[in-house]
Amino acid sequence: MRFTVFGGVTAAVDGRSTEFGPTRLGALLGVLLVDAGRVVGADELVERVLGDAPPPRARAMMQTWLTRLRHTLPGLIQREGNGYAVRVDPLEIDLHLFRHLVRTGRTAQALALAEDELLSTLDTPWARHVRAEFADELLAARLDHVDARLNSGEHTELVPELQALAAERPLDERIAAQLIEALHGSGRTAEALRHFEIVRARLADELGAEPSRPLLTSHRRLQAASAPRQLPAPPKPFTGRALELAELDQAPNGVVVITGTGGVGKTSLAVHWAHRAAERFPDGQLYVNLHGFGPSGAAVSPGDALLRFLSALDVPRTQVPHDLAGQAALLRDALAGKRVLMVLDNATDADQVEPLLPRTPDTHVVITSRTALRPAHAHSLPLGLLPPDDARELLAARIGHDRAHAEPDAVDTVVRRCARLPLALAVAGARAATQPEFPLATLADELADLDAFADDDDVTADLRSVFSHSCKALSPAGLRLFRLLGLMPGPDISLAGAASLAGLPVPETSTLLEELARANLIDEPEPGRFTCHDLLRDYAAELALPGERDEALHRLLDHLALTSVEAGLAFTPTRYRPATPEPTAGVVVTSFGTRDEALVWLMAEHPTLMAAMPHGTPTQTWLMGWSLADVLDRQAHHRDLLTSQQLAVAALEQLDDADGLGRTLINLGRGFGRLKRLDEAMVALERAFEVYEGNPAGQAAVLLNIAMLCPDDKVAEAMEYTRRGLALFEECGDRYGQANALTGLAWGYVKLGEHARSVEYAERVMPMWQAMDHLIGQAETWDSLGSARLGLGDHAGAVEAFTQSAEYFRRGGDLPLEAAAHEQLGDAHAAVGDAELARAAWQRSLELRTVAGLAADGVRAKLQAERE
């Protein structure tokens, strides 16, 4: 026998199946099957089948149906006392089989039975109550099955299902924990962490509760998994330094400064120890190469290093202040209570590292430098030459232990003539490893006249002789590329940049770079980017021939300037394309398919572009500055924004390009404005206005930028600048400029309380933005319309406008403004009197602000007031 109560009630007995459909007989059988094995009283049967207000003679009707049912299914229903019961094996009934399968861990089979609604043809209070109770059972089984699937690694497949469940049950912490695990397992850890913050905010605002212990445990595990792991790969091979490693192990949390001459192995020691000690710092390891002794302009500023650390610690960019002291304080806050290791490699002086020292109890800092830095309360660890045995072992690891054991005297000679410096041994060892058929004694003989490497403690030994020996093994083309790499202005170079530097095709350049890497003359710290030790770079630059130096550097700067223009246009498609020269022969100009590709390139090349700008021709320099302006502003690199535009202005002053100078002066004003240097910003913009004499569109753009500098108590003044700008844009027929000005006026009238005028201007500009398919322009205009309609008492119109504004900001990717639009949407719903929709909109604003790291006290206050 088989019985179903999911969907319609059916019975299969002796190979004959009966479907009862929405009949009273089916309802009666279903009621008894749900409680199979239990006696159900006659009055209870009436209530279950006919509801709590049964018709007259209900008992008689029920008796008739029972008789017919017992005739249809003989022997199934038994009368016991004043009631009736179904006496069958419960596993023959799909509901009870479902429960058995769940208890025994076979949730997939159980869920397959329950695809239809329980007792779907019966609609009485009892049936609805049973269905509601079973919904909890079904959900629990479904979540048990999710656990099983997560354990089997189905993270990516489960994300959409769990996101839908989380939307239906936003306060269910088990679902939240599962979604967090699925997101993390899919490689979307940042989203997982944001979801935890959203759930925590909901629990606090709606229940006044903290997350449960399991959810907190999941969050802590997630934090550990997402902790920054910035250390470069450990050096291989690494030998010796036992005393120094022990000293690093025993140093208390604080600051340790490893000092020593170039090439002595400071970075290798610091990175090797950091990997070995990583478990002591479960909240992350931060690393930055400060390039303190690299080429001029390549050193990393404290501000840039702070921004890298704050980004690695997932501090939202919107929270980062503009000033160095504020950024340093924010880093201390971000590291408070966390056990983190920070490695500051290749520092030049105390001024470069002091702002980076958090001085928090659980943060440990290791600094490497050629100079004897003296941060307060720091532990100094001078690093001398490798002990002879360690030096021999390092060379043997490079060339092979069998080969080293076969020629111990030659090993001693090479070690002595490399002055026991790890860098020299690495280069010499790479040279020997590329010629395994040569006796090691040959290498030793070749080094015989390198008398700069006497066996003494002179740590200023001339490494150039060892480098020279290694370069002799290079092909002519490889040696030429090595010489030219010494000219690169930044800390590293891309494959396309190296090809441009050499004036060679990309495939040929790639082959030559592989040759240099085998010789241990360059490194590839990340795919497609190449660098080398600063001592090797200095030596390579010395080798560069006068005739090739200028041409090669010009090609590289051409590559950076012209490729950066392509990246700048891909990053901000609405910008005008500046006039660019034809690339020099041999220059590779890269193009970009998406905004994200352009952003990755611009941020990877940002240090190189900043270092290259002072060395470019006026045209190259200003084009690099133009390309950097938008990305540095949006990525909050405001000091570099200012510096790059100052360099670009100086370059343009040597060119006959009034439009370029005017645009760059606007960007310079923006840079000063971001740093709150408003007087200097105004000077730059006023000069731009003068430069644009006779160019109404240029002067109009200046006026709109001046308007944006006006504080809130000078709205009328800002409006006047905007009106003047609009008149000029209309004079020259610049539709995009007109739309910008009209949008500014619409918002200005809102701030002045002239709501009808705001609506007038917003309705005038909306078709213009729509014709341009400009998402943010439409979003800002809907926002002004919403505020104006709210001010006019048109609450329904405000609801519509803010709904549109929030959607367009979402599509345009502006999280802070989307959050603000949802808050205003909640205000509009509250004004209409719809408390439920107001609460939902405010809650959404709170969630978005939480994700973006924005202040949310105002929204929380509105939610609290609504509850009270």
Side-chain angles (χ1 to χ4, degrees):
M1 291 188 291
R2 289 286 184 269
F3 301 92
T4 69
V5 290
F6 291 119
V9 177
T10 65
V13 181
D14 296 332
R16 183 169 60 89
S17 179
T18 302
E19 295 186 6
F20 291 90
T23 64
R24 296 297 188 188
L25 291 185
L28 178 58
L29 177 59
V31 163
L32 291 168
L33 289 171
V34 166
D35 274 335
R38 175 179 170 272
V39 176
V40 182
D43 291 336
E44 192 174 354
L45 280 175
V46 170
E47 182 181 346
R48 290 185 180 189
V49 175
L50 297 174
D52 50 11
R57 301 184 66 254
R59 287 284 295 271
M61 295 166 61
M62 187 64 62
Q63 188 62 49
T64 300
W65 296 333
L66 280 165
T67 301
R68 291 172 56 189
L69 193 57
R70 295 171 75 182
H71 178 73
T72 303
L73 299 170
L76 177 68
I77 301 172
Q78 301 176 11
R79 183 182 180 98
E80 298 185 18
N82 193 33
Y84 299 85
V86 169
R87 298 293 183 183
V88 295
D89 182 348
L91 298 187
E92 294 179 342
I93 304 169
D94 57 359
L95 171 62
H96 301 284
L97 177 59
F98 168 90
R99 289 168 172 159
H100 172 74
L101 291 171
V102 169
R103 285 194 299 271
T104 55
R106 291 174 283 176
T107 50
Q109 295 170 262
L111 292 170
L113 291 174
E115 291 180 347
D116 295 319
E117 188 178 47
L118 179 64
L119 295 175
S120 62
T121 59
L122 181 59
D123 187 23
T124 62
W126 174 84
R128 291 192 292 272
H129 175 73
V130 168
R131 279 194 290 270
E133 286 189 335
F134 180 72
D136 292 335
E137 283 187 63
L138 183 62
L139 177 63
R142 185 176 175 185
L143 298 185
D144 287 346
H145 188 49
V146 167
D147 283 336
R149 293 175 64 190
L150 288 171
N151 289 335
S152 66
E154 297 182 47
H155 299 94
T156 302
E157 299 86 345
L158 280 167
V159 168
E161 177 183 341
L162 286 168
Q163 285 176 327
L165 274 173
E168 294 171 9
R169 305 174 73 91
L171 296 176
D172 190 309
E173 295 185 70
R174 184 179 181 190
I175 294 172
Q178 290 179 330
L179 176 55
I180 286 170
E181 183 176 346
L183 286 167
H184 172 57
S186 303
R188 298 159 65 177
T189 303
E191 288 181 64
L193 287 167
R194 287 198 295 269
H195 187 67
F196 172 83
E197 295 300 332
I198 288 171
V199 173
R200 177 157 62 183
R202 281 178 176 153
L203 291 169
D205 290 329
E206 298 194 24
L207 303 179
E210 287 293 319
S212 64
R213 185 180 297 277
L215 189 55
L216 286 171
T217 300
S218 176
H219 180 239
R220 282 194 294 271
R221 185 169 61 247
L222 198 64
Q223 283 183 311
S226 63
R229 311 287 185 210
Q230 293 188 321
L231 296 176
K236 293 182 179 179
F238 182 89
T239 61
R241 303 299 192 191
L243 294 176
E244 290 86 354
L245 289 168
E247 191 169 345
L248 285 168
D249 285 337
Q250 294 162 13
N253 279 357
V255 180
V256 176
V257 183
I258 303 173
T259 56
T261 191
V264 80
K266 300 180 296 297
T267 297
S268 292
L269 172 63
V271 173
H272 176 79
W273 178 82
H275 278 281
R276 197 174 78 164
E279 290 186 1
R280 287 172 47 188
F281 306 98
D283 296 316
Q285 300 92 46
L286 301 171
Y287 172 88
V288 63
N289 185 344
L290 296 170
H291 294 288
F293 295 91
S296 175
V300 176
S301 69
D304 276 347
L306 282 167
L307 288 176
R308 296 182 196 183
F309 287 163
L310 291 169
S311 176
L313 293 166
D314 289 328
V315 176
R317 182 70 70 176
T318 52
Q319 289 185 353
V320 179
H322 300 305
D323 62 296
L324 190 63
Q327 292 169 357
L330 186 59
L331 179 64
R332 289 193 294 273
D333 290 343
L335 292 174
K338 293 182 178 178
R339 289 180 290 168
V340 171
L341 172 65
M342 180 186 294
V343 179
L344 307 178
D345 194 18
N346 201 12
T348 182
D349 54 35
D351 290 341
Q352 191 182 26
V353 300
E354 193 63 41
L356 307 178
L357 303 180
R359 308 290 188 186
T360 53
D362 296 318
T363 302
H364 188 57
V365 182
V366 176
I367 304 171
T368 72
S369 180
R370 292 183 203 171
T371 59
L373 305 181
R374 292 285 185 267
H377 308 295
H379 177 78
S380 180
L381 177 55
L383 193 63
L385 302 178
L386 276 173
D389 287 346
D390 290 346
R392 284 190 285 270
E393 174 59 25
L394 178 59
L395 182 63
R398 292 279 181 181
I399 66 175
H401 286 85
D402 290 344
R403 190 176 179 188
H405 290 154
E407 298 184 74
D409 292 340
V411 168
D412 288 344
T413 302
V414 173
V415 166
R416 184 176 66 254
R417 290 171 178 164
C418 287
R420 306 200 313 273
L421 286 167
L423 178 61
L425 288 165
V427 174
R431 166 81 166 93
T434 59
Q435 296 178 318
E437 70 281 4
F438 284 17
L440 191 58
T442 304
L443 172 62
D445 290 342
E446 290 175 353
L447 293 172
D449 20 335
L450 305 184
D451 52 10
F453 295 100
D455 188 16
D456 55 28
D457 290 330
D458 180 9
V459 294
T460 63
D462 188 0
L463 286 165
R464 287 192 299 274
S465 297
V466 175
F467 299 160
S468 173
H469 167 70
S470 192
C471 286
K472 290 177 182 177
L474 296 175
S475 67
L479 176 59
R480 175 177 176 269
L481 179 58
F482 176 66
R483 291 197 306 263
L484 297 180
L485 287 174
L487 305 177
M488 59 182 180
D492 56 12
I493 194 169
S494 66
L495 173 58
S500 299
L501 185 69
L504 296 173
V506 168
E508 184 178 344
T509 305
S510 180
T511 300
L512 295 176
L513 289 169
E514 291 174 4
E515 179 186 352
L516 296 179
R518 287 194 300 271
N520 215 65
L521 295 173
I522 65 168
D523 296 313
E524 188 176 5
E526 56 184 277
R529 299 204 69 82
F530 303 88
T531 188
C532 63
H533 195 284
D534 48 50
L535 293 176
L536 280 163
R537 188 200 304 251
D538 290 343
Y539 175 70
E542 291 176 6
L543 297 179
L545 304 177
E548 67 184 2
R549 178 190 298 267
D550 294 341
E551 292 179 1
L553 184 58
H554 183 83
R555 284 194 300 268
L556 174 59
L557 294 171
D558 237 18
H559 159 75
L560 292 170
L562 299 178
T563 300
S564 70
V565 169
E566 299 302 318
L569 289 167
F571 182 72
T572 311
T574 55
R575 298 178 79 185
Y576 89 110
R577 174 184 284 275
T580 54
E582 286 296 316
T584 306
V587 170
V588 178
V589 180
T590 306
S591 59
F592 302 90
T594 67
R595 178 184 181 277
D596 287 343
E597 289 176 7
L599 175 60
V600 168
W601 187 90
L602 284 164
M603 295 318 296
E605 295 287 0
H606 159 218
T608 296
L609 289 165
M610 292 298 299
M613 286 185 70
H615 303 286
T617 65
T619 297
Q620 291 168 337
T621 297
W622 104 259
L623 289 176
M624 286 186 270
W626 177 92
S627 304
L628 284 169
D630 266 20
V631 72
L632 292 181
D633 188 25
R634 296 188 195 182
Q635 296 293 310
H637 292 279
H638 296 137
R639 278 186 298 278
D640 279 353
L641 169 64
L642 178 59
T643 300
S644 65
Q645 301 316 298
Q646 288 172 322
L647 289 168
V649 167
L652 281 158
E653 287 171 338
Q654 303 175 55
L655 300 171
D656 183 18
D657 187 347
D659 186 63
L661 179 58
R663 292 178 185 274
T664 306
L665 285 166
I666 290 175
N667 291 333
L668 178 61
R670 192 184 348 161
F672 279 124
R674 297 300 190 212
L675 296 174
K676 307 302 180 186
R677 296 163 61 174
L678 300 184
D679 290 343
E680 292 162 289
M682 186 61 77
V683 169
L685 292 173
E686 288 173 347
R687 185 182 172 200
F689 192 82
E690 294 173 2
V691 168
Y692 274 133
E693 180 69 33
N695 182 336
Q699 289 193 326
V702 174
L703 292 170
L704 263 60
N705 276 273
I706 292 175
M708 288 188 285
L709 289 178
C710 294
D712 286 344
D713 60 354
K714 293 187 177 181
V715 176
E717 185 177 334
M719 294 276 285
E720 183 55 33
Y721 282 118
T722 307
R723 288 191 194 93
R724 289 172 57 193
L726 175 61
L728 290 172
F729 279 130
E730 289 174 337
E731 177 185 325
C732 62
D734 188 324
R735 296 285 288 174
Y736 179 79
Q738 291 174 46
N740 267 319
L742 289 169
T743 304
L745 290 174
W747 182 240
Y749 281 121
V750 166
K751 297 174 81 172
L752 290 173
E754 298 183 30
H755 300 114
R757 295 293 300 277
S758 178
V759 170
E760 175 188 339
Y761 276 88
E763 290 180 344
R764 178 179 167 188
V765 74
M766 183 66 82
M768 299 169 69
W769 288 129
Q770 290 171 337
M772 289 182 266
D773 195 25
H774 198 288
L775 296 177
I776 297 298
Q778 293 178 69
E780 291 176 339
T781 306
W782 278 117
D783 189 68
S784 295
L785 276 171
S787 296
R789 287 173 177 170
L790 197 60
L792 291 169
D794 179 8
H795 300 149
V799 166
E800 176 194 4
F802 286 131
T803 300
Q804 294 283 357
S805 175
E807 173 60 17
Y808 276 96
F809 279 131
R810 183 194 66 78
R811 290 171 57 190
D814 198 313
L815 194 61
L817 290 179
E818 183 189 353
H822 277 287
E823 180 179 357
Q824 292 171 304
L825 177 59
D827 296 344
H829 281 308
V832 173
D834 195 328
E836 184 177 349
L837 288 178
R839 181 175 178 76
W842 288 332
Q843 184 65 47
R844 180 58 179 158
S845 177
L846 177 63
E847 293 167 1
L848 291 169
R849 289 175 185 276
T850 300
V851 169
L854 299 170
D857 291 345
V859 181
R860 286 196 178 94
K862 291 175 183 179
L863 285 164
Q864 183 62 35
E866 188 274 330
R867 279 196 293 268
E868 295 173 351

